[in-house]
Structure formats: structure tokens, C-alpha cells
Amino acid sequence: MNAITIVIASACILAIAYRLYGTFMAVKVLRIEDSKPTPAHTLEDGKDYVPTNRWVVFGHHFAAIAAAGPLVGPVLAAQFGYLPGLLWILIGAVLGGAVHDMVVLFASMRQEGKSLSEVAKKELGPVAGFCTGLAMLFIITITMAGLSMVVLHALEKNPWGTFAVGMTIPIAMAVGLYQRKTGDLKKASIFGIILVMGAVIAGPYIQDTALGQMLTLDIKTLSWILPVYAFFAAALPVWLLLAPRDYLSSFMKIGVFVALIAGVFIVNPAIQFPAFTDFINGGGPIIAGPVWPFVSITIACGAISGFHAFIGSGTTPKMLNRWKDIKMVGFGAMLVESMVAVMALIAATVLHPADYFAINTSPEKFQALGMTVQHLPQLSQEIGLGLEGRTGGAVSLAVGMTDVFRSIPWFDHMAAYFFQFVIMFEAVFILTAIDAGTRVSRYIIQDFLGTFISPLRRTDWTPGVIFSSALACFLWGYLLYSGDISSIWVLFGVSNQLMAAIGLIIGTTVILKFANKRIYALTCLVPLVYLYATVTYAAYWMVTKVYLGPGPGHSVLNAVLSLIMMVLGVVIIVTAIGKWVRLWKRPELPLDPAVSSSRAL
């Protein structure tokens, strides 16, 4: 198997899915049309509710949802071979992730852009709404702290990366102000892209200067800086910092992977991994569990992810200019992220398996595998960094991408530059999810505490905005600074997919209530059944074999937290089933002739 075959087949599958299944979801299932203004128009306040060009919203949405999941998840899942991860990425994204993101965005916009907990309260009742809100707050806090930890290790004592990432903040604000004043998105984009690329190129030259020394920061200092930045990203008007920064970052994200695709076509590397490894039944050095359910837990954002529900019911529904933009932003951005995950899987599997395991396991575990490294010593020398034992997936992704780029004749002496650039690129990739996620956390807090303090619900009440933004940053910032998140990071995969199941539960409810054919509810119900079974079994496996087992992963706290999350899920789905039975007894809605004759979006 060679990489070009996988790239072409994946691109064709995703393009066809967007044109056919995406259109079916938009026209037949959700019956989207533009006869009414979106919440961005009806509630426009110049801060959160802002009608925005669909390409800017697409850039923001893609940048926000595409965090560590599509980068690191496929790399770690390569332990099982290239085929399980590839199948899950493509099937999961088309039938699960894209549908999930689209219906959550639609459901939120029907409720004035409110959070998923408020949508759940409206559609399923106060008990399900409370459980959804509690689960969302728990998951978003873990997610922000966990993603921030990845950024810390990428930027620690790395003035080049810190400078490049830091410069995106004033550049984004300048672009936001220019576009707001002139309305000229094209010039603003060109201006911003040139400045961002200039910051990346200038990075190596500031390392040995006074500025470089100032930006050589330790983890504790960065642990203070990231929450402070996130506070401003959450509190300032969305058009000033968050949207333009995410929009500009999306150019870099997509650009790097377009370059990787071009590199694959030029080099045509062979996939070094087999379709299945000996670890599909469990016992792997990276992921201890079997291929099912853990391939679907490990590869989250690249196929289906509950984190997307935070963005799809947070910032994005408050920015869409037209209802018909839902297909491009909700369905389309998920498929682009799926392609990113495919390329990350390729970058991992073009490495020799021994080199891959040497990077992603401890020296003791690697020695027990009885493998011999092939090209890793040469790569370490060219990059100027010891690569063995750098677990977590980020380094092996950077090594795999670097190996492809350096195989191009013109770039054969630039391994160190490409490696550092990809490491910085990964940090930017994740940081854009942190700022959007913190703003969403602010919305959740406002909705959740607004039940007791009614002014907090108002997004235009400045004291409430400041308080909720500060509380959101404190919650995950404390975990980040103390390092306690490392003890429960393994919960993220299960809790994240449980959140996706909750999104599909609400999607099923909305479709049963809104669509003119009940059978359309299967678009959400089928992936929901698979995902809920996967999450339940994964949680059971982790609690019985790891958290309460005799091994090094023993943690009563993790077991209790897992059980709490599963109980919340059971309460929500039992409540939903009762609502589904009542909706099923109602007569089907008549088909709206105006909608049925709508052209494909």
C-alpha cells in the first residue's frame, strides 16, 4: 500500500459525501432554507452575535474544532495498523461526525444560538438539561486544561514557537479592526497571512536576542499566560480577536496539510505499517485495550467528537449570516478535519514501525518489544534532538511529516527547520481550540448559573461576561498550573465521546420533532447506538481493568468520575427515549412544497 492511494480514495469519498449526504441532510432532513434571519441578525450586539462572512465562520469553526484530536489520535491509533484507524476516520466522519456537527449547529440556531444544555432543557426537559450542562462543564474544563498542557510542552523554552504563536494575537486584532472598518476581507486576509508567515520565518532569528531570552519561558510562567490570554479571547468582542485569529490560523492549518498532500504525491512514500498489527486484541505498549472500542475512543476529533458540540452550540451559531451556511460550516468543516486526520495517520505509518514505537513508548517498553530502530538515529542527528521516548503522538507526527518533506530533493537539508515548524504548527492548531473553547465555557457558565442569577444569562451584561470568563479560565487554569489534570487526562477520550452521544441524542429528538419523515431520525440514531455502546464498554473496561486494577493506572478517583459521567449519560438517554415515544405517536408533519422544491445547497 502506498500513501497516494489512501489520499486519493479518502478525498473522493469525502467530496462525494459532502455533495450527496450533506445535501440530503440539509434539504430533506433539516429542511434548511433562508426565509428567516439567523440569530446573528435578530440578536446582533456587536460582541457575540455578529453576522459574519461564511468563509470567516468556516475558518473559525474549523480552527476551533480541529485541535489535538485529528493530529495525535490517528498517530496513537496507528498501533493497531493503518486500516482500523482509516476505516473509522472515514466512516465515522461521514455517518457520525458531520451529521452530529450539522444537527447540533442547527438545533442551537433554532434556539437563538444557545448552548447545548439549554437546547436539551428545551427539547428534553429540565432534568436532562441540568445533566447535560453539568457534563458539558466537566468535559470542557478537562479539555481546556489537557489541550493547554500539550501547548505548554510545545512552547516550553522555545522562543521561536512562543514568538510565532504570540504574534498571531496582535496580527489577528489588526485584521479584525481593518475588516470591521473597511469590510474588505480579501485585503485583510492577504495582510494577515503575510504577517503570520513573516512571524514564522523571523522566529529562528530572535532566539539569541534579548527578545528571545524574554520569550524563553518555563512551564509555570506559561501556565499563567495561557489562561490570561484565554480570558481576553473569551471576554472581548468575537470580531476583534477570536474570529480573525482562528480564521488566519486555518490558513496555516490547511496550508500545512495541503503541502503534506503535495509532498506525498511528489515522494509517494510507502506505508510501512501492516493493515493490522499484533495489538488489535489488546496488550499494546501505547493503548492497552483492544482495537474496539479504543480505536473509536482514541481517534475522536478526526471522526466524531463531543468537543465539536461546544463550538457548534457556542460561538458558531451566533455568527452565521445565512441558514444555508450550516451545510458548509457544520458538515463541510468536519470532513476537512477528517482529511487532516487521514494525513496524520499517513505521517505516522510511513515511519518504520520500530522507529514509531521507539518514539511513542518509554525505553523500557520499547526494549520489551524486541524491535530494532531503522532510521531514527539519522533523523535525530539531522533534527538535532533526541527523539526516543517522546511519547504522546505530537513528536512522531512531526517526525513523519519531516521525513516526507526532507525526501523532496530541494528540502533534503532542512529537516531541523521542518521539524520545528511542525511542532509550532501543532501548538497553533491546539491553541485556537483553547480560545474558542474558553469562550464556549463562558457561555455554559452563564447559562448554568443564570438559572440562579438571572442577569448572568445576558451576553451584553459586562459584569456577567467578565465574571463568567474569569471563572472559566480559573477552573481549567488551576488544573493546568497544579498539574492535577494529568491524573484524569485518560478520562478525556471516554467523556468526549459521551458528549458526542449526547449531541446525537438531542439531534435525534430535534429531527423527530421537525422532520416530515420519522425514518430520517436514523441519521442520528444509528451512529448514536454505535457510539453509546462504544463509550459504555470503554468506560467499563477502563474501570475494571485499569482504574480499579492492580497496575500503574490504578485510580479510585478516575473510576468514580467515570461512573458519574456514565450515570449522567443514562439519565439523559432514558429521558430522551420517553420523549421519542411521545413524538413517535404524533402524526408526521406534511411536506412543505417550498422546502421540497429547494435546490441543493
Side-chain angles (χ1 to χ4, degrees):
M1 176 65 70
N2 58 59
I4 289 180
T5 303
I6 294 177
V7 171
I8 294 176
S10 300
C12 290
I13 290 170
L14 297 175
I16 293 171
Y18 177 78
R19 182 66 184 90
L20 298 182
Y21 198 44
T23 299
F24 169 75
M25 288 295 304
V27 175
K28 296 293 185 181
V29 179
L30 301 180
R31 302 194 296 168
I32 297 172
E33 45 90 26
D34 282 331
S35 62
K36 295 180 180 180
T38 64
H41 288 281
T42 58
L43 300 173
E44 183 175 2
D45 59 8
K47 295 181 180 179
D48 297 300
Y49 291 87
V50 181
T52 308
N53 181 283
R54 66 175 183 166
W55 289 103
V56 175
V57 181
F58 179 90
H60 153 72
H61 186 80
F62 171 74
I65 65 173
L71 298 178
V72 176
V75 173
L76 299 180
Q79 169 192 275
F80 299 119
Y82 73 83
L83 192 56
L86 181 63
L87 291 176
W88 169 241
I89 289 169
L90 296 177
I91 298 173
V94 172
L95 300 181
V99 171
H100 167 274
D101 291 9
M102 194 175 185
V103 297
V104 166
L105 180 56
F106 175 78
S108 177
M109 289 180 67
R110 288 184 69 242
Q111 301 296 333
E112 300 181 332
K114 291 181 179 178
S115 69
L116 201 62
S117 62
E118 288 297 298
V119 176
K121 186 184 297 183
K122 176 73 174 180
E123 301 294 347
L124 300 176
V127 174
F130 177 83
C131 291
T132 301
L134 191 60
M136 290 178 70
L137 190 58
F138 177 80
I139 294 168
I140 197 73
T141 300
I142 294 175
T143 302
M144 293 303 97
L147 293 178
S148 297
M149 278 192 163
V150 178
V151 175
L152 292 188
H153 291 291
L155 299 182
E156 179 190 9
K157 298 179 180 179
N158 182 3
W160 178 4
T162 303
F163 173 78
V165 172
M167 285 301 296
T168 61
I169 298 172
I171 292 171
M173 295 180 72
V175 168
L177 288 168
Y178 181 83
Q179 200 272 334
R180 181 83 169 178
K181 184 176 180 180
T182 66
D184 192 337
L185 178 62
K186 183 177 180 180
K187 288 184 179 178
S189 301
I190 294 173
F191 169 73
I193 293 169
I194 291 174
L195 289 179
V196 168
M197 293 307 299
V200 173
I201 295 171
Y205 300 101
I206 62 96
Q207 292 189 97
D208 298 324
T209 65
L211 178 61
Q213 294 178 359
M214 185 186 306
L215 294 176
T216 304
L217 305 173
D218 58 24
I219 283 185
K220 291 299 183 183
T221 304
L222 288 168
S223 297
W224 281 99
I225 292 175
L226 285 182
V228 170
Y229 158 72
F231 169 79
F232 287 104
L236 288 174
V238 69
W239 58 265
L240 179 58
L241 176 56
L242 187 144
R245 187 185 184 282
D246 289 357
Y247 172 66
L248 292 175
S249 297
S250 67
F251 281 100
M252 181 179 180
K253 293 178 177 184
I254 296 175
V256 168
F257 276 92
V258 168
L260 180 58
I261 291 173
V264 167
F265 274 87
I266 294 171
V267 178
N268 191 18
I271 301 298
Q272 301 289 324
F273 273 61
F276 301 97
T277 68
D278 295 335
F279 303 120
I280 59 171
N281 295 318
I286 301 172
I287 304 165
V291 65
W292 187 83
F294 287 98
V295 71
S296 300
I297 297 298
T298 305
I299 304 178
C301 294
I304 181 171
S305 169
F307 177 69
H308 296 190
F310 294 108
I311 309 302
S313 65
T315 53
T316 302
K318 299 175 177 64
M319 298 165 62
L320 279 184
N321 187 46
R322 299 167 63 239
W323 285 91
K324 289 187 177 181
D325 294 342
I326 289 176
K327 176 189 169 185
M328 172 184 169
V329 174
F331 204 91
M334 178 64 243
L335 297 187
V336 174
E337 183 180 3
S338 177
M339 195 65 203
V340 170
V342 170
M343 297 310 300
L345 180 66
I346 289 173
T349 54
V350 296
L351 293 173
H352 190 279
D355 294 343
Y356 164 86
F357 283 109
I359 296 173
N360 285 292
T361 59
S362 65
E364 296 77 17
K365 286 186 177 180
F366 179 71
Q367 186 175 8
L369 294 176
M371 295 181 175
T372 303
V373 294
Q374 300 295 314
H375 309 294
L376 201 59
Q378 180 184 353
L379 282 168
S380 297
Q381 185 177 3
E382 292 182 20
I383 292 171
L385 187 68
L387 301 174
E388 295 86 353
R390 292 183 176 268
T391 60
V395 171
S396 54
L397 173 63
V399 171
M401 294 178 69
T402 299
D403 195 38
V404 172
F405 288 135
R406 77 184 184 97
S407 299
I408 300 173
W410 309 292
F411 303 138
D412 54 348
H413 298 297
M414 300 179 65
Y417 182 88
F418 281 123
F419 177 83
Q420 291 292 348
F421 181 83
V422 173
I423 288 292
M424 187 273 298
F425 148 78
E426 290 177 297
V428 171
F429 218 105
I430 296 168
L431 205 59
T432 51
I434 292 172
D435 53 24
T438 303
R439 195 177 190 93
V440 172
S441 182
R442 181 200 116 193
Y443 296 149
I444 295 171
I445 290 172
Q446 287 186 268
D447 287 339
F448 201 67
L449 297 183
T451 305
F452 311 101
I453 308 173
S454 56
L456 272 178
R457 289 182 178 273
R458 291 169 41 201
T459 57
D460 61 346
W461 188 46
T462 303
V465 170
I466 294 174
F467 169 77
S468 54
S469 299
L471 180 59
C473 293
F474 172 79
L475 289 174
W476 67 260
Y478 172 77
L479 293 176
L480 177 67
Y481 186 81
S482 65
D484 292 341
I485 188 63
S486 61
S487 64
I488 56 174
W489 171 247
V490 290
L491 285 175
F492 170 68
V494 171
S495 61
N496 180 61
Q497 298 302 62
L498 177 62
M499 191 69 243
I502 294 172
L504 289 171
I505 289 171
I506 294 171
T508 302
T509 308
V510 170
I511 292 174
L512 281 173
K513 182 178 180 181
F514 185 78
N516 52 48
K517 292 186 178 180
R518 295 191 186 99
I519 195 172
Y520 290 159
L522 291 176
T523 57
C524 284
L525 193 58
V526 170
L528 168 61
V529 170
Y530 171 80
L531 198 62
Y532 195 78
T534 299
V535 168
T536 302
Y537 182 68
Y540 169 80
W541 196 94
M542 291 297 295
V543 169
T544 57
K545 297 185 181 297
V546 179
Y547 300 148
L548 298 182
H554 179 84
S555 172
V556 175
L557 174 63
N558 284 4
V560 171
L561 291 174
S562 296
L563 292 174
I564 290 174
M565 293 299 300
M566 298 314 298
V567 168
L568 290 174
V570 169
V571 172
I572 295 168
I573 199 165
V574 168
T575 305
I577 290 173
K579 181 65 177 285
W580 296 345
V581 171
R582 293 192 295 273
L583 289 174
W584 192 268
K585 293 179 180 179
R586 297 193 325 175
E588 290 186 334
L589 296 174
L591 181 63
D592 185 345
V595 175
S596 65
S597 62
S598 295
R599 291 179 298 177
L601 302 183

